Amino acid sequence: MGVPDAAFVALHAHPDDGFTANVTVDSAYRPDAAPLAEIGDESVADLAGVAETLDVTSRREIGSAAAPGLTQTLALTTAVNGVRRELTQSQVYLSLLDVHDPGRRVVVRLILTATAAQHDDVLEDFRDIVATVRPTPDTQNPSE
């Protein structure tokens, strides 16, 4: 699918003007103390390298101290397969903290990328996917 670090990729059934809205999910072990806003800034900086224009249109902390999260929405213009596109990305960052050592965490990132025109139509489906993400106990190693 061209997304080498993604653990999950979902494609929308109905492309908009030749662009297929998609959801990608990846994660990274982040033992550092970087706040989620800083991790979100890292994503913005990565996209800035390929985007013609890029604006963070919203950013909001979500969750709790035990399960922090961040949402941000980006508006960008970029070339996709040689075609200039106005895209919107909704990004959600969820911190999964080790119950025994909260300094150890994995940050799960879920990203919806859609044309600006189709974004609002597929946003609820994305929210449904985000709502399914939760840690599960390690049944193979109950002490973890």
Side-chain angles (χ1 to χ4, degrees), residues 8-141:
F8 175 84
V9 176
L11 302 175
H12 193 269
H14 306 288
D16 177 45
D17 193 28
F19 183 85
T20 302
N22 60 83
V23 172
T24 59
V25 179
D26 62 20
S27 63
Y29 175 62
R30 293 294 300 243
D32 61 339
L36 290 176
E38 185 176 311
I39 295 170
D41 287 342
E42 292 171 7
S43 291
V44 171
D46 289 344
L47 272 177
V50 297
E52 189 177 308
T53 64
L54 176 62
D55 294 307
V56 178
T57 60
S58 70
R59 177 179 276 177
R60 183 171 63 100
E61 291 187 18
I62 59 172
S64 65
L70 176 86
T71 66
Q72 63 183 16
T73 304
L74 313 175
L76 62 138
T77 304
T78 191
V80 179
N81 297 326
V83 178
R84 187 173 188 259
R85 301 276 184 192
E86 302 291 328
L87 301 176
T88 301
Q89 270 198 357
S90 289
Q91 301 180 344
V92 176
Y93 298 83
L94 303 172
S95 282
L96 303 178
L97 306 176
D98 184 312
V99 294
H100 303 291
D101 181 1
R104 295 179 51 190
R105 68 176 170 167
V106 169
V107 175
V108 177
R109 179 176 65 167
L110 301 97
I111 302 171
L112 165 66
T113 306
T115 62
Q118 190 180 36
H119 181 264
D120 290 347
D121 295 336
V122 297
L123 185 58
E124 195 59 38
D125 291 337
F126 177 62
R127 289 179 177 150
D128 290 345
I129 292 170
V130 171
T132 68
V133 177
R134 62 183 51 79
T136 57
D138 183 352
T139 57
Q140 299 298 316
N141 189 359

